[in-house]
Amino acid sequence: MPDCDLKLTGARVIDGTGAPARPAEVAVARDRIVAVEPPGGLDRWTAAETRALGGLALAPGFIDTHSHDDRALLDTPDLAAQVS
């Protein structure tokens, strides 16, 4: 059984703290981030799927798009347009 469902390698993680992007690997299990490690930190993990991101930016978690369409939440509670 794999340790996680998805392992993302070779990413530049932007964590929202204001710190510069850093190289990292991210593990996801059951739609949850379960680990964020420096490169090589997930080498012993097995994954159902692994994707090499080749230096692309990755921002784990929720990103607030700061839009002014709060009314849309009442009309479409899943806000698919915001999370897609």
Side-chain angles (χ1 to χ4, degrees):
M1 175 177 249
D3 295 311
C4 62
D5 302 316
L6 176 63
K7 185 165 61 168
L8 303 168
T9 63
R12 290 181 311 110
V13 169
I14 301 168
D15 64 14
T17 64
R22 68 182 192 280
E25 300 176 344
V26 176
V28 178
R30 292 180 225 80
D31 296 326
R32 302 273 185 215
I33 297 168
V34 294
V36 178
E37 296 290 335
L42 299 178
D43 284 353
R44 294 186 175 179
W45 287 54
T46 59
E49 180 180 358
T50 299
R51 293 188 189 171
L53 300 184
L56 293 174
L58 179 63
F62 182 79
I63 298 173
D64 181 0
T65 60
H66 188 77
S67 63
H68 293 274
D69 60 355
D70 301 334
R71 173 94 170 97
L73 180 61
L74 300 174
D75 297 331
T76 52
D78 65 349
L79 279 179
Q82 292 292 331
V83 297
S84 60

